């Protein structure tokens, strides 16, 4: 049927869920030519994921829409635990804060996935100048990697055939036809087979529905049953359990006192329930379905699962309290299992992110968060490599950094789900039951992991720390090309310069003031997701002559013709285009002057715009927002300071003294392309 259109694109993203949208957001912020396709049309949206952890909010803020989520969401402040007393009746046994106090400037919130996807779409539109759109009703039919071209930076080694579906084909079927309430069963893991082959076959019969795309990089974010993963021949390893859970988003009518708290409820005999208070009066209930069990093949019959069945289970668990509803927004059911992908990339050209490489139960509110965090880790790397700014070798760090997190996630979920789905122990002698003390303890410990803030990346050419191998969690190790191998002893000395900024972890935030305008900023607000690396010069006491001499020397090296800063910056671009230098000093604000005390390279001059007033900050007391006390909180010497590198995703990549300029130079030589040197 005639001519099939053929085109080139730098990055092709398959799937526009949270992971795919995060990847697309990076491409928009980095200015990379990108397409993103999804087999579904946009029409149904409610339900699905809703919990947003602190790290995800920090990430949203770096992209520019943290405030939208924060404002619209329901805020989760306290968790209440309900367990059977000696009489078998449920009662509140404990209260704990939902987010560990002091961990982040954000706390956990809940807002449904559809809104979050909306924020992404608006952000992508803005930053891509309306060039990146989600193409709905489009899915891949084949994927081939030309291995002879994978080392050629200018080649498009991945060829993907795409199919365009009709409106009808791209609308998923609902479980109960004609019902006004949407269900999410078409995405649930209770559905074993996907409909891709049928869809492709149908649309093939119409002419003009095919297209060929040649891509430099492909990112498969196509969810738990990932077509991309299957077409690469990779697997998810792990197992399903017998635990089946239902989910309902309702406006409850109830006398249960904690319905606006997050609750973990274990009934004596009827299973467990989790309460998630939501935006717009909604409450989500996660309900254990003891009456539905998998058959011999390990799968439950989803046709048996209805909102009535799910809700009657909830009523039993909550009794003697009453619960009813008139409005249901959405419902679904799933079978708990934990699986992790064997491989996260093929030839450093095709990558998998999100549910495509890890699946687990949704109750801990992790899937969407970890999926977005995968893509947040991957996106800037692919973006900078596609633009010729970073070396292709940094792409290997995606798997080494994220597979470990995926493994930790499923271990966490396994433990947590077992404790949650198990029957509460009647007394200490009841070995088969779950100890409620153990559950509470796991919950509290799990909160740190769940926040996304315990992630600690291993050594690589973008994380300078001791060691040369990264544990994959499953016993295997990946050996990375550490560019500047550093002994444990030498590294410990560097880390001691700023104990509060562990290398490999995200740059923690405290408030500092603008030197020029005395306005308080959270330093993280200045670490925007624009694809730039940042060198943060903790300049120490700039008013001491000895320290000033050290700062001057560091700046002279930065300014020298062969410095990494000059080498990575294209001749016609501002000096902060690829790497931005930010300064935080510790002298008194009112005794210091921006233009007098700080070398020009720290607040570059531009003949059209004058001095840059937003690069030098001070650790001092504010008028209205207290004292961030950043140096003390980071554990940095107020006289001598130190130098820290933050990667474009805000992870600490390097720490050193002001005299360690050569090592800093090597860090950037290891990961960035130096065009002016070539
Ligand atoms: P998905 O969201 O599954 O997106 C994949 C996309 O790819 C879809 O849009 C799909 O249409 C598209 N696609 C699939 N196949 C193809 C193909 N062949 N071609 C083109 N496009 C394709 N997570 C949390 O963090 N917090 C929570 O509170 C939470 N609660 C949850 C509650 C429920 C009831 C469920 C079911 C999940 C919950 N999750 C939660 C998990 C979360 O929804 C997922 O982990 C998350 O959506 C994964 O994002 P993703 O982008 O990887 O995949």
């Amino acid at each position: 049927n005639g001519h099939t259109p053929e085109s080139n694109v730098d990055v092709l993203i398959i799937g526009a869920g949270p992971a795919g949208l995060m990847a697309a957001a990076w491409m928009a912020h980095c200015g990379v030519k990108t397409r993103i396709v999804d087999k579904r049309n946009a029409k149904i949206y409610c339900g699905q994921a809703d919990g947003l952890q602190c790290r995800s909010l920090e990430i949203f803020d770096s992209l520019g829409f943290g405030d939208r989520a924060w404002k619209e969401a329901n805020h989760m402040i306290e968790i209440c635990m309900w367990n059977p007393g000696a009489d078998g009746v449920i009662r509140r046994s404990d209260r704990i804060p939902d987010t560990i106090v002091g961990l982040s400037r954000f706390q956990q919130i809940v807002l449904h996935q559809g809104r979050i996807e909306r924020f992404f779409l608006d952000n992508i539109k803005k930053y891509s100048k309306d060039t990146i759109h989600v193409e709905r009703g489009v899915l891949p039919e084949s994927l081939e990697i030309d291995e002879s071209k994978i080392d050629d930076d200018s080649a498009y080694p991945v060829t993907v055939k795409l199919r365009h579906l009709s409106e009808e084909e791209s609308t998923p079927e609902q479980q109960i036809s004609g019902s006004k309430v949407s269900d999410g069963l078409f995405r649930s893991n209770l559905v074993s087979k996907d409909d891709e082959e049928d869809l492709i076959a149908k649309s093939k019969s119409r002419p003009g529905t095919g297209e060929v795309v040649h891509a430099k990089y492909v990112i498969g974010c196509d969810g738990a049953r990932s077509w991309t993963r299957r077409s690469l021949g990779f697997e998810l390893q792990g197992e399903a359990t017998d635990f089946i859970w239902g989910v309902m988003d309702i406006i409850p009518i109830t006398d249960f006192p904690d319905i606006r708290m997050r609750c973990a409820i274990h009934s004596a005999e009827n299973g467990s329930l989790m309460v998630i208070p939501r935006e717009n009066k909604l409450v989500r209930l996660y309900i254990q379905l003891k009456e539905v069990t998998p058959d011999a093949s390990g799968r439950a019959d989803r046709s048996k699962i209805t909102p009535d069945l799910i809700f009657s289970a909830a009523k039993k668990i909550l009794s003697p309290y009453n619960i009813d509803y008139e409005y249901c927004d959405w419902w679904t059911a799933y079978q708990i299992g934990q699986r992790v992908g064997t491989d996260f990339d093929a030839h450093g050209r095709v990558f998998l992110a999100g549910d495509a490489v890890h699946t687990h139960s949704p109750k801990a509110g992790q899937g969407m968060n970890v999926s977005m965090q995968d893509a947040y880790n991957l996106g800037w790397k692919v973006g900078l490599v596609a633009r010729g700014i970073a070396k292709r070798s940094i792409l290997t760090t995606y798997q080494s950094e994220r597979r470990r997190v995926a493994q930790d996630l499923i271990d966490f979920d396994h433990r947590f789900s077992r404790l949650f789905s198990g029957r509460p122990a009647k007394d200490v002698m009841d070995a088969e039951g779950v100890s409620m003390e153990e559950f509470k303890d796991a919950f509290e410990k799990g909160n740190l992991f769940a926040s996304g803030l315990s992630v600690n990346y291993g050594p690589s050419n973008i994380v300078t720390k001791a060691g040369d191998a990264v544990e994959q969690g499953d016993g295997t190790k990946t050996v990375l090309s550490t560019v500047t191998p550093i002994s444990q002893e030498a590294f410990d000395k560097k880390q001691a310069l700023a104990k509060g900024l562990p290398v490999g972890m995200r740059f923690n935030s405290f408030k500092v003031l603008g030197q020029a305008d005395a306005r308080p900023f959270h330093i993280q607000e200045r670490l925007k997701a624009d694809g730039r690396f940042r060198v943060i010069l903790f300049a120490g006491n700039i008013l001491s002559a000895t320290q000033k001499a050290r700062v001057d020397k560091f700046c002279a090296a930065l300014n020298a013709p062969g410095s990494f800063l000059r080498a990575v910056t294209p001749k016609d671009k501002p000096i902060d285009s690829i790497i931005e230098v930010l300064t935080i000093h510790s002298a008194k604000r009112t005794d210091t002057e921006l233009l007098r005390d700080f070398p020009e390279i720290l607040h570059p001059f531009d003949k059209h715009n004058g001095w840059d007033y937003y690069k030098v900050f001070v650790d001092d007391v504010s008028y209205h927002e207290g004292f961030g006390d950043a140096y003390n909180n980071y554990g940095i010497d107020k006289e001598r300071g130190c130098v820290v590198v933050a990667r474009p995703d805000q992870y600490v990549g390097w720490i050193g003294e002001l005299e360690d300029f050569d090592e800093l130079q090597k860090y950037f030589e290891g990961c960035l392309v130096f065009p002016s040197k070539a």
Side-chain angles (χ1 to χ4, degrees):
N1 43 21
H3 174 76
T4 306
E6 207 162 328
S7 58
N8 289 347
V9 70
D10 288 343
V11 177
L12 173 68
I13 300 167
I14 301 171
L21 291 171
M22 178 66 82
W26 263 126
M27 299 313 147
H29 286 249
C30 292
V32 176
K33 194 176 159 198
T34 298
R35 286 179 66 183
I36 171 167
V37 300
D38 196 293
K39 68 175 178 177
R40 302 289 182 207
N41 69 32
K43 290 218 180 89
I44 26 162
Y45 239 98
C46 44
Q48 290 292 335
D50 57 5
L52 288 169
Q53 310 288 356
C54 325
R55 180 60 191 149
S56 298
L57 286 161
E58 293 180 3
I59 289 173
F60 287 0
D61 191 57
S62 77
L63 290 164
F65 59 84
D67 53 334
R68 292 184 75 186
W70 192 244
K71 219 183 207 164
E72 272 187 37
N74 185 48
H75 290 227
M76 304 258 267
I77 309 297
E78 191 173 79
I79 302 175
C80 297
M81 313 248 175
W82 285 72
N83 302 305
D87 55 359
V89 176
I90 54 166
R91 87 259 183 266
R92 187 195 298 120
S93 59
D94 282 293
R95 298 176 192 266
I96 57 172
D98 183 81
T99 305
I100 297 170
V101 177
L103 207 55
S104 165
R105 66 203 156 104
F106 297 105
Q107 293 87 47
Q108 188 179 194
I109 59 172
V110 274
L111 184 63
H112 81 89
Q113 195 170 329
R115 282 308 289 162
I116 294 155
E117 295 187 0
R118 178 80 259 153
F119 302 155
F120 269 111
L121 294 172
D122 291 347
N123 191 263
I124 291 165
K125 184 178 162 101
K126 175 175 166 189
Y127 283 91
S128 73
K129 303 195 174 61
D130 218 0
T131 61
I132 304 177
H133 306 266
V134 176
E135 300 168 47
R136 307 268 175 193
V138 179
L139 81 175
E141 180 180 331
S142 69
L143 181 152
E144 273 163 39
I145 308 173
D146 182 344
E147 290 185 30
S148 69
K149 291 190 188 149
I150 53 180
D151 291 326
D152 176 356
D153 282 333
S154 60
Y156 295 83
V158 195
T159 299
V160 179
K161 256 194 213 158
L162 294 176
R163 268 296 143 194
H164 293 250
L165 303 179
S166 69
E167 185 74 14
E168 193 196 345
E169 286 158 356
S170 56
T171 306
E173 265 177 52
Q174 293 284 287
Q175 176 79 355
I176 303 175
S177 63
S179 164
K180 282 206 188 79
V181 181
S182 318
D183 72 68
L185 283 183
F186 69 95
R187 282 173 83 153
S188 163
N189 59 3
L190 294 175
V191 181
S192 57
K193 187 178 164 293
D194 222 323
D195 52 358
E196 271 122 18
E197 280 174 27
D198 300 347
L199 291 175
I200 292 168
K202 263 193 216 157
S203 92
K204 254 187 177 167
S205 62
R206 282 175 286 117
T209 58
E211 184 195 350
V212 174
V213 175
H214 302 282
K216 286 188 171 167
Y217 299 95
V218 169
I219 308 181
C221 302
D222 43 356
R225 284 191 301 271
S226 172
W227 176 91
T228 316
R229 183 189 68 228
R230 280 181 281 134
S231 75
L232 294 170
F234 297 157
E235 283 174 17
L236 284 184
Q237 286 176 342
E239 274 162 33
T241 68
D242 289 347
F243 301 123
I244 316 266
W245 285 65
V247 189
M248 291 181 84
D249 289 345
I250 57 168
I251 298 182
I253 304 166
T254 182
D255 57 359
F256 179 68
D258 284 343
I259 199 74
R260 294 303 305 171
M261 297 287 192
R262 180 171 167 203
C263 294
I265 304 167
H266 276 92
S267 74
E269 300 293 344
N270 295 314
S272 303
L273 185 148
M274 184 176 236
V275 179
I276 308 279
R278 296 264 307 268
E279 69 281 4
N280 297 333
K281 297 190 182 152
L282 287 172
V283 171
R284 168 166 291 182
L285 302 178
Y286 284 103
I287 305 144
Q288 190 174 5
L289 302 180
K290 294 199 102 172
E291 280 159 34
V292 194
T293 42
D295 60 17
S297 74
R299 282 195 181 270
D301 178 0
R302 69 176 164 137
S303 68
K304 288 204 187 114
I305 303 173
T306 61
D308 286 347
L309 178 116
I310 300 174
F311 201 66
S312 68
K315 278 176 161 282
K316 278 193 205 152
I317 298 167
L318 268 181
S319 124
Y321 297 97
N322 294 307
I323 185 158
D324 250 307
Y325 69 92
E326 278 180 18
Y327 178 74
C328 175
D329 198 46
W330 181 83
W331 66 277
T332 192
Y334 60 89
Q335 185 169 356
I336 294 184
Q338 288 91 11
R339 295 190 166 92
V340 65
T342 47
D343 300 82
F344 281 37
D345 79 276
H347 305 292
R349 291 290 184 169
V350 181
F351 298 86
L352 298 171
D355 278 10
V357 274
H358 41 73
T359 62
H360 45 85
S361 68
K363 277 185 308 298
Q366 285 295 295
M368 173 170 63
N369 289 279
V370 177
S371 297
M372 293 189 299
Q373 288 157 21
D374 285 344
Y376 195 68
N377 179 289
L378 175 65
W380 66 270
K381 295 173 184 170
V382 172
L384 294 191
V385 171
R387 283 191 52 201
I389 293 169
K391 294 187 175 169
R392 211 147 30 75
S393 61
I394 71 167
L395 297 176
T396 59
T397 63
Y398 171 61
Q399 163 145 341
S400 67
E401 295 185 339
R402 295 308 296 180
R403 191 161 189 276
R404 171 83 224 203
V405 175
Q407 191 73 46
D408 288 349
L409 167 63
I410 66 162
D411 292 347
F412 162 75
D413 190 63
H414 184 74
R415 230 174 319 133
F416 185 72
S417 290
R418 189 181 54 80
L419 290 172
F420 204 13
S421 300
R423 170 181 63 75
K426 295 196 174 77
D427 51 46
V428 283
M429 298 303 289
D430 179 3
E432 266 178 29
V434 171
S435 139
M436 289 298 109
E437 274 309 306
E438 194 191 339
F439 179 66
K440 182 185 168 204
D441 190 51
F443 216 121
E444 280 180 328
K445 288 207 187 94
N447 263 355
L448 176 62
F449 175 79
S451 71
L453 292 174
S454 61
V455 168
N456 191 343
Y457 295 143
S460 68
N461 57 352
I462 44 176
V463 175
T464 304
K465 66 204 255 188
D468 59 358
V470 176
E471 280 261 14
Q472 292 291 287
D474 58 359
T476 62
K477 286 183 173 185
T478 309
V479 179
L480 295 169
S481 49
T482 327
V483 174
T484 23
I486 177 168
S487 71
Q488 190 66 49
E489 200 188 350
F491 173 67
D492 290 345
K493 266 194 201 146
K494 309 272 183 206
Q495 186 64 76
L497 296 168
K499 281 202 204 70
L501 288 170
V503 176
M505 295 183 81
R506 76 91 166 82
F507 202 108
N508 194 7
S509 193
F510 294 100
K511 276 189 179 168
V512 293
L513 313 181
Q515 172 64 31
D517 65 1
R519 180 180 161 182
F521 283 95
H522 250 292
I523 191 64
Q524 238 182 28
E525 289 175 76
R526 299 292 297 120
L527 309 181
K528 286 280 177 243
D530 51 17
R532 290 187 292 178
F533 276 82
R534 291 190 172 80
V535 171
I536 295 111
L537 168 62
F538 285 91
N541 178 10
I542 194 75
L543 293 177
S544 124
T546 2
Q547 181 64 8
K548 173 85 165 84
R550 293 179 74 216
V551 170
D552 285 348
K553 198 166 166 219
F554 178 81
C555 290
L558 262 184
N559 220 346
S563 82
F564 63 85
L565 183 61
R566 299 249 167 239
V568 297
T569 312
K571 290 270 174 295
D572 55 341
K573 289 278 165 58
I575 193 68
D576 62 356
S577 316
I578 311 292
I579 299 173
E580 183 180 36
V581 182
L582 297 175
T583 303
I584 305 170
H585 75 91
S586 64
K588 215 167 143 40
R589 177 177 63 85
T590 49
D591 292 343
T592 39
E593 297 288 351
L594 180 68
L595 303 189
R596 183 195 69 195
D597 298 323
F598 296 89
E600 175 171 342
I601 191 83
L602 301 180
H603 51 95
F605 185 78
D606 171 279
K607 67 179 184 224
H608 305 295
N609 300 305
W611 299 106
D612 190 331
Y613 293 103
Y614 290 96
K615 293 219 193 305
V616 178
F617 299 86
V618 53
D619 182 23
D620 203 346
V621 181
S622 74
Y623 282 111
H624 307 290
E625 296 179 27
F627 181 28
D629 208 5
Y631 271 68
N632 273 331
N633 280 312
Y634 290 135
I636 297 174
D637 185 312
K638 285 200 170 194
E639 276 301 308
R640 295 178 52 84
C642 68
V643 183
V644 178
V645 171
R647 315 187 324 189
D649 58 358
Q650 303 181 327
Y651 282 76
V652 178
W654 183 92
I655 288 186
E657 296 264 21
L658 275 62
E659 285 70 24
D660 296 336
F661 189 87
D662 289 350
E663 291 169 35
L664 183 58
Q665 175 92 11
K666 283 209 188 85
Y667 175 88
F668 285 111
E669 280 171 1
C671 58
L672 297 186
V673 176
F674 282 26
S676 353
K677 257 193 163 176

